[in-house]
């Protein structure tokens, strides 16, 4: 019987093939042609490329389907051929490699950003990835590689789709910049935490800047994940020679890097803190991305013929990891996990009313305050009457993510709202919660599994909350068994024994404590409690909560949902353990004293909100920097109501704020999500100001003609540049994508822009920038040219007489500089 892909991966290091696009072009395919359509139009060419890689020694052949999703194929009016193209591609790859190797379905990015950064919803992304993956499986693929992904949210949508809708193993491959982070700010450690929880089979890096930088990324992967690791670097960065993009890294040099990857074996000591046996974890798959050829793969093959796969680290204890887009929380044994409880409207009239009105100021404030108070996770609960919770939950999650880099606990009794929150949260979070009721087990556990979330298990069932510790253990065992059957590891379960208020009877709240060691010892799970429930309806809540927290930790509590902004809670977290009996007596005495006091019960503390009040232009500037569109809107309206000059608001608040964002981006303090949030916030203020300025009086920073060059259908970067330019007061004439030089020149003659900005993502289309420059010169148009894109270099820009920017933020600054210089010289 033929071994499966995963079985073979455990035996030896496997070799993936190399680049497809450059080989297609060598066969006469033009950049403006749809590469994926060649599976139907020129199958013999695609087959010959596959066979060349097989002859070079590749064990895995990738299908020619990198852009064969509905959204990208729509640019060629081929979105009705998704299934046909992908099925044909898989069959061609199988025809080339037969039964001696494996067919890997290539799934690339959608070419559009997922909301809130873009216009594509999570569900639309999921549907597009599902359609492609199903077709690849039907065509006979053995595995899929979701590759060249920068946005971990897009990767989440793709992985969840493939894992849910097919039975194919998944390689998840991110692309990193020279700072070893994606342009969205995600590190290898974050990617590993999120993707491992989603159940991917191989974690990888491809494309990026070349093999040099990928060595460091591979090291970081190997140090934090038990998964097999794949690397597929480019053959260095291209150089333009005779108007052709040439990758100059030789097969021998590329193979030398492959040997470095194989020597990266990381010595892993099992357990947190180095308590277990040692294992060597090494790169398991090597392949080539842009610029690599069959000769490169052949050279690598000679170096890995005798390499055997090394087992990944089989840790005796698997740490629980939570992650946001940019941060990992690693819960080692002995580390207490603090979950901030303050984003919860229960017992808080003002918060409830704000949620019902659609405002988010309290959510924002609580997120910021709890993050400053050093919570590990933030619980997000917006359950109030008279709202559509499944619609409000994702909006609340996005607000929290905008102002905090902490992972989230998505908290709701509504399964639909839980799922919408899990979709919106870009990371690996905690699901709060499942209980022992049949309906809950059947609806909630599949959500935790699908979205890779850890889960809180509440010890209640159809009979309600049990009285005794033994009954709590019984229900916990029922939930844990069901969770394990659903594919959720015990290590990812936090059992909540449910704290009862001490005001009703102290014995009930103590039973929750007694159950802690029972649950942990028998079930091998962690425990969590909502501490503040113990003081519900009583005075002296802060004191009682702090004492109960200390007591629970003595019983072995692993995590708590608490108010980290409460000084007494902070003090209790730092307190040294005391004898159990002593703490019990102190707690009982405090409860008795509270009951005898005769004071009224305390309500939950409302957040002390600072009223948004315009005092100076700096207020609006700060709101832009924070990406707070709601605050920018309110403050700008107030400033205008006070009679402030709208143009001054733009010049002294909005533009300076965005300039600071640009500086933070250049220093890698901000990443693309923060830039886009600030840009949207700035746009809100800009539109309000513009409406108050008479037509013809609006100050225009300049006019820019914008286009993605001929043959290139990638426009994410161009669209970001457009938004930032417009928000900075530029008039932008956007010609779109795949724009021929003659159209650019024609529009330049008509509009006489102050600058022309061109974008290209492909090395093959980059040369069109030079063509545009030449045609502008031939037409006698002395208009400054700005160029940028993933493959464009300053050297190339200098060569064609253009100005270069490596990113959208820099493009805006460069446009200002060029236009100001031209105006100062009277041109």
């Amino acid at each position: 019987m033929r071994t499966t892909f995963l079985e073979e991966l455990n035996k030896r290091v496997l070799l993936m093939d190399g680049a497809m696009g450059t080989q297609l072009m060598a066969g006469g395919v033009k950049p403006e042609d749809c590469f994926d359509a060649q599976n139907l139009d020129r199958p013999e060419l695609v087959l010959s490329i596959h066979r060349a890689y097989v002859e070079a020694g590749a064990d895995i052949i990738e299908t020619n389907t990198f852009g064969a999703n509905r959204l990208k194929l729509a640019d060629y009016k081929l979105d009705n051929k998704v299934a046909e193209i992908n099925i044909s591609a898989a069959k061609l790859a199988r025809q080339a490699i037969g039964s001696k190797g494996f067919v890997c379905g290539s799934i690339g990015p959608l070419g559009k950003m997922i909301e809130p950064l873009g216009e594509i919803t999570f569900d639309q992304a999921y549907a597009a990835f599902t359609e492609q993956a199903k077709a690849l499986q039907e065509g006979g693929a053995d595995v899929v590689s979701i590759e060249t992904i920068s946005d971990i949210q897009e990767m989440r949508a793709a992985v969840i789709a493939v894992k849910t809708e097919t039975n194919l193993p998944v390689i998840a491959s991110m692309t990193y910049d020279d700072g070893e982070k994606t342009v969205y700010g995600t590190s290898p450690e974050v990617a590993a935490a999120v993707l491992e929880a989603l159940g991917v089979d191989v974690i990888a890096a491809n494309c990026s800047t070349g093999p040099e930088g990928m060595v460091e990324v591979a090291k970081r992967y190997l140090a934090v994940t038990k998964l097999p690791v794949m690397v597929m670097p480019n053959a260095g960065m291209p150089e333009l020679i005779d108007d052709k993009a040439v990758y100059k890294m030789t097969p021998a040099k590329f193979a030398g890097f492959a040997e470095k990857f194989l020597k990266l074996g990381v010595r892993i000591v099992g357990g947190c803190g180095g308590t277990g046996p040692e294992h060597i974890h090494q790169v398991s798959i090597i392949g080539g991305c842009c610029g690599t050829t069959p000769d490169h793969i052949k050279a690598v093959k000679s170096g890995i013929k005798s390499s055997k796969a090394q087992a990944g680290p089989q840790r005796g204890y698997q740490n629980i990891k939570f992650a946001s887009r940019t941060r990992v929380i690693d819960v080692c044994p002995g580390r207490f996990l603090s979950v901030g409880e303050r984003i919860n409207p229960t017992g808080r009239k003002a918060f409830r009313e704000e949620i019902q009105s659609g405002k988010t100021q309290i959510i924002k404030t609580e997120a910021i305050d709890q993050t400053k108070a050093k919570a590990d996770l933030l619980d997000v609960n917006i359950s109030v009457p008279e709202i559509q919770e499944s619609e409000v939950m994702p909006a609340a999650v996005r607000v929290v993510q905008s102002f905090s880099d902490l992972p989230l606990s998505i908290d709701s009794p509504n399964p639909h709202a839980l799922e919408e929150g899990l979709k919106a949260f870009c990371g690996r979070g905690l699901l709060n919660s499942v209980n022992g009721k049949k309906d809950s087990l059947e609806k909630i556990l599949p959500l935790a599994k699908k979205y890779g979330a850890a889960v809180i298990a509440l010890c209640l069932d159809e009979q309600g909350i049990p009285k005794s510790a033994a009954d709590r253990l019984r229900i916990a065992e029922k939930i844990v068994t069901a969770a394990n059957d659903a594919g959720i590891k015990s290590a990812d379960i936090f059992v909540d024994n449910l704290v009862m208020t001490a005001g009703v009877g102290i014995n009930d709240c103590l039973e929750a404590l007694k159950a802690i060691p029972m649950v942990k010892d028998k079930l091998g799970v962690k425990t969590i409690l909502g501490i503040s429930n113990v003081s519900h309806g009583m005075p002296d809540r802060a004191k009682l909560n702090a004492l109960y927290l200390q007591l629970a930790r003595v019983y072995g509590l692993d995590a708590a949902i608490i108010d980290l902004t409460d000084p007494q809670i902070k003090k209790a977290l730092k307190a040294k353990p005391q004898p159990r009996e002593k703490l019990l007596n102190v707690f009982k005495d405090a409860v008795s004293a509270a009951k005898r006091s005769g004071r009224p019960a305390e309500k939950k503390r409302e957040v002390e909100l600072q009223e948004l009040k315009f005092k100076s232009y700096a207020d609006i500037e700060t709101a832009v920097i924070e990406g707070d569109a709601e605050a920018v809107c309110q403050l700008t309206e107030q400033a205008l109501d006070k009679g402030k000059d709208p143009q001054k608001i733009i010049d002294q608040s909005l533009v300076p704020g965005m300039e600071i964002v640009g500086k933070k981006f250049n220093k890698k303090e901000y990443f693309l999500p923060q830039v886009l949030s600030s840009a949207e916030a700035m746009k809100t203020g800009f539109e309000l100001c513009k409406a108050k300025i008479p037509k013809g009086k609006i100050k225009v920073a300049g006019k820019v003609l914008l286009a993605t060059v001929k043959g290139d259908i990638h426009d994410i970067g161009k669209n970001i540049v457009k938004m930032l330019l417009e928000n900075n007061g530029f008039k932008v004439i956007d010609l779109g994508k795949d724009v021929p030089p003659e159209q650019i020149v024609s529009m330049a003659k008509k509009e006489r822009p102050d600058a022309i900005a061109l974008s290209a993502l492909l090395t093959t289309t980059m040369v069109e920038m030079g063509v545009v420059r030449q045609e502008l010169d031939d037409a006698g148009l002395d208009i400054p040219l700005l160029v940028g894109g993933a493959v464009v270099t300053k050297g190339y820009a200098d060569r064609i007489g253009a100005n270069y920017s490596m990113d959208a933020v820099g493009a805006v600054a460069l446009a200002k500089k060029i236009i100001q210089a031209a105006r100062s010289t009277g041109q």
Side-chain angles (χ1 to χ4, degrees):
M1 182 181 291
R2 181 172 178 265
T3 59
T4 67
F5 168 76
L6 294 178
E7 288 171 341
E8 193 67 19
L9 189 59
N10 285 327
K11 296 178 182 178
R12 61 190 176 92
V13 175
L14 298 179
L15 180 60
M16 185 82 86
D17 61 8
M20 170 61 72
T22 47
Q23 298 300 298
L24 287 171
M25 286 184 293
V29 179
K30 297 179 181 178
E32 59 266 30
D33 296 334
C34 177
F35 287 178
D36 309 288
Q38 306 312 308
N39 297 304
L40 305 179
D41 298 341
R42 297 186 62 184
E44 74 290 342
L45 173 61
V46 176
L47 182 61
S48 69
I49 294 169
H50 286 330
R51 282 175 169 161
Y53 281 121
V54 172
E55 291 171 5
D59 303 300
I60 307 167
I61 295 296
E62 275 203 282
T63 56
N64 175 37
T65 54
F66 180 76
N69 63 70
R70 176 168 294 275
L71 299 180
K72 278 194 170 180
L73 289 176
D75 289 313
Y76 301 99
K77 296 182 172 54
L78 294 173
D79 44 319
N80 63 336
K81 291 185 177 291
V82 173
E84 186 180 357
I85 288 172
N86 282 279
I87 291 170
S88 298
K91 289 181 176 179
L92 285 169
R94 175 64 66 203
Q95 186 178 342
I97 201 163
S99 61
K100 66 179 181 179
F102 303 99
V103 172
C104 178
S106 172
I107 297 179
L110 298 174
K112 295 183 182 295
M113 291 187 289
I114 296 179
E115 64 179 11
L117 305 179
E119 69 275 22
I120 299 299
T121 68
F122 188 96
D123 289 338
Q124 288 171 329
Y126 181 98
F129 286 125
T130 293
E131 182 181 29
Q132 185 178 6
K134 280 185 172 181
L136 288 167
Q137 178 170 265
E138 184 178 344
D142 300 296
V143 58
V144 297
S145 178
I146 305 164
E147 54 194 14
T148 325
I149 305 291
S150 298
D151 182 6
I152 193 69
Q153 183 71 331
E154 183 174 15
M155 180 63 86
R156 287 182 72 240
V159 170
I160 293 168
V162 178
K163 281 289 181 181
T164 303
E165 306 292 346
T166 78
N167 57 13
L168 294 171
V170 173
I171 301 170
S173 189
M174 304 292 293
T175 185
Y176 299 91
D177 62 20
D178 55 8
E180 296 162 34
K181 288 186 177 180
T182 73
V183 294
Y184 292 82
T186 298
S187 67
E189 291 78 13
V190 166
V194 174
L195 298 175
E196 195 170 304
L198 287 174
V200 305
D201 300 281
V202 178
I203 189 166
N206 79 294
C207 202
S208 306
T209 57
E212 299 93 336
M214 202 172 287
V215 169
E216 295 304 314
V217 172
K219 282 181 183 178
R220 293 172 68 172
Y221 271 157
L222 291 167
V224 296
T225 181
K226 68 180 189 301
L227 295 173
V229 172
M230 179 184 85
V231 290
M232 289 185 66
N234 295 339
M237 293 299 289
E239 295 181 25
L240 207 63
I241 300 175
D242 295 331
D243 288 332
K244 290 185 179 180
V246 177
Y247 288 86
K248 300 186 74 174
M249 183 173 285
T250 65
K253 187 172 182 180
F254 188 81
F257 277 106
E259 292 178 11
K260 288 183 180 180
F261 284 122
L262 291 177
K263 292 176 181 178
L264 284 181
V266 174
R267 189 171 299 279
I268 301 291
V269 180
C272 189
T275 57
E278 290 187 353
H279 300 274
I280 299 296
H281 190 29
Q282 70 169 170
V283 170
S284 300
I285 305 174
I286 296 177
C289 203
C290 302
T292 56
T293 67
D295 287 339
H296 289 82
I297 300 306
K298 184 177 181 180
V300 174
K301 181 69 174 181
S302 63
I304 68 171
K305 282 181 180 178
S306 59
S307 297
K308 295 182 179 180
Q310 299 281 348
Q314 303 299 313
R315 300 181 178 94
Y317 179 91
Q318 179 62 44
N319 300 344
I320 300 174
K321 294 179 181 179
F322 297 101
S324 64
R325 188 190 289 274
T326 58
R327 184 171 177 180
V328 175
I329 301 295
D330 193 346
V331 188
C332 298
R335 174 176 177 174
F336 191 77
L337 186 73
S338 299
V339 181
E341 71 175 14
R342 295 285 300 167
I343 305 175
N344 188 324
T346 304
R348 300 169 64 186
K349 182 181 177 183
F351 196 177
R352 184 172 65 250
E353 291 175 347
E354 181 180 85
I355 292 172
Q356 290 171 333
S357 68
K359 295 180 181 178
T360 61
Q361 190 181 359
I362 293 176
I363 294 175
K364 166 199 164 183
T365 302
E366 294 288 19
I368 292 171
D369 288 349
Q370 291 182 104
T371 302
K372 289 179 180 177
K374 299 186 178 178
D376 293 316
L377 274 67
L378 298 182
D379 191 71
V380 180
N381 183 323
I382 45 85
S383 298
V384 298
E386 301 174 9
I387 66 165
Q388 190 68 35
E389 191 176 350
S390 60
E391 296 178 3
V392 178
M393 176 63 86
V397 167
R398 292 182 188 117
V399 169
V400 176
Q401 288 185 118
S402 295
F403 295 100
S404 173
D405 64 350
L406 294 179
L408 303 185
S409 167
I410 310 299
D411 184 356
S412 174
N414 182 326
H416 191 195
L418 281 175
E419 180 161 21
E420 292 305 308
L422 289 169
K423 288 178 189 175
F425 174 52
C426 181
R428 199 277 170 117
L430 181 63
L431 187 156
N432 187 7
S433 57
V434 66
N435 61 56
K437 295 178 182 179
K438 183 175 183 291
D439 185 63
S440 179
L441 295 172
E442 290 177 350
K443 290 181 178 178
I444 305 302
L445 291 177
L447 293 180
K449 175 62 178 174
K450 180 177 180 179
Y451 293 95
V455 63
I456 293 177
L458 298 183
C459 290
L460 65 86
D461 58 13
E462 284 80 1
Q463 282 69 52
I465 300 174
K467 289 284 187 181
S468 69
D471 280 341
R472 283 175 165 85
L473 173 61
R474 173 182 56 79
I475 296 174
E477 187 170 13
K478 174 184 177 182
I479 300 172
V480 171
T481 299
N484 292 161
D485 291 344
I488 299 168
K489 297 178 295 184
S490 295
D492 288 332
I493 301 171
F494 288 78
V495 169
D496 186 339
N497 291 318
L498 288 173
V499 178
M500 304 301 292
T501 176
V504 174
I506 199 163
N507 288 335
D508 285 345
C509 72
L510 295 181
E511 286 297 305
L513 300 181
K514 293 176 184 177
I516 291 172
M518 297 166 62
V519 166
K520 292 177 67 172
D521 292 344
K522 184 166 185 181
L523 304 180
V525 297
K526 288 186 175 293
T527 53
I528 189 169
L529 290 176
I531 293 296
S532 63
N533 290 334
V534 77
S535 65
H536 182 69
M538 299 182 71
D540 291 332
R541 296 199 67 179
K543 180 179 179 180
L544 294 177
N545 293 344
L547 286 172
Y548 193 74
L549 175 59
Q550 286 181 266
L551 188 55
R553 294 190 70 181
V554 172
Y555 273 90
L557 187 70
D558 302 292
I561 303 174
I562 50 181
D563 181 1
L564 273 296
T565 65
D566 185 331
Q568 293 201 52
I569 287 291
K570 295 285 283 186
K571 186 176 179 181
L573 286 172
K574 297 176 181 178
K576 293 182 179 179
Q578 297 183 42
R580 182 185 298 181
E581 288 303 316
K582 179 181 177 180
L583 278 174
L584 269 171
N585 290 331
V586 173
F587 176 68
K588 289 177 181 179
D589 290 344
V591 170
S592 297
K595 287 182 177 180
R596 292 193 308 267
S597 71
R599 294 195 302 274
E602 292 178 13
K603 294 181 179 180
K604 283 194 175 179
R605 175 174 55 84
E606 291 282 8
V607 66
E608 295 181 6
L609 288 175
Q610 284 190 336
E611 183 183 356
L612 277 175
K613 195 171 182 180
F614 174 80
K615 302 182 192 70
S616 69
Y617 292 124
D619 297 331
I620 301 175
E621 179 183 320
T622 298
V624 169
I625 296 167
E626 292 177 348
D628 191 341
E630 188 175 314
V632 169
C633 179
Q634 292 183 39
L635 291 168
T636 303
E637 286 176 341
Q638 290 177 25
L640 292 169
D641 289 342
K642 285 187 173 185
K644 297 296 181 183
D645 184 344
Q647 189 63 57
K648 279 191 175 181
I649 296 174
I650 293 172
D651 294 341
Q652 297 185 32
S653 296
L654 301 174
V655 171
M658 203 63 207
E659 287 175 346
I660 291 174
V661 169
K663 291 175 182 177
K664 286 180 174 289
F665 180 77
N666 291 333
K667 293 177 182 177
K668 297 191 182 297
E669 295 174 6
Y670 273 16
F671 294 91
L672 192 55
Q674 290 91 344
V675 171
L676 294 179
S677 292
S678 291
E680 283 296 329
M682 180 187 182
K683 182 179 180 181
T684 300
F686 186 76
E687 292 299 324
L688 289 168
C689 292
K690 192 165 71 170
K692 296 289 185 179
I693 302 174
K695 286 185 179 180
K697 298 292 185 179
I698 297 174
K699 183 178 173 182
V700 178
K703 185 193 296 186
V704 178
L705 187 66
L706 185 62
T708 300
V709 296
K710 179 182 176 182
D712 205 317
I713 62 166
H714 302 88
D715 64 353
I716 286 181
K718 174 188 70 68
N719 292 341
I720 294 172
V721 171
K722 177 184 178 182
M723 179 175 67
L724 294 182
L725 283 170
E726 288 179 336
N727 288 354
N728 278 271
F730 286 89
K731 180 181 179 181
V732 178
I733 303 164
D734 184 5
L735 297 182
K737 54 194 175 185
D738 188 16
V739 184
E742 56 270 22
Q743 184 179 345
I744 295 171
V745 173
S746 174
M747 187 60 70
K749 288 179 179 177
K750 178 182 177 182
E751 292 288 341
R752 296 289 171 170
D754 296 295
I756 298 173
L758 302 179
S759 173
L761 186 69
L762 306 175
T763 55
T764 50
T765 59
M766 179 175 71
V767 296
E768 291 294 326
M769 294 174 167
V771 176
V772 172
R773 173 76 279 172
Q774 185 60 53
E775 293 201 13
L776 287 170
D777 291 343
D778 292 346
L781 296 173
D782 185 18
I783 300 173
L785 186 65
L786 285 70
V787 298
V791 296
V792 182
T793 64
K794 187 177 186 305
Y796 175 66
D798 291 343
R799 186 177 148 191
I800 66 170
N803 301 277
Y804 167 74
S805 175
M806 66 182 298
D807 54 62
V809 173
V812 174
L814 185 59
K816 288 182 178 180
K817 182 179 178 181
I818 290 170
I819 293 172
Q820 287 171 358
R823 288 176 176 175
S824 66
T825 57
Q827 293 182 3

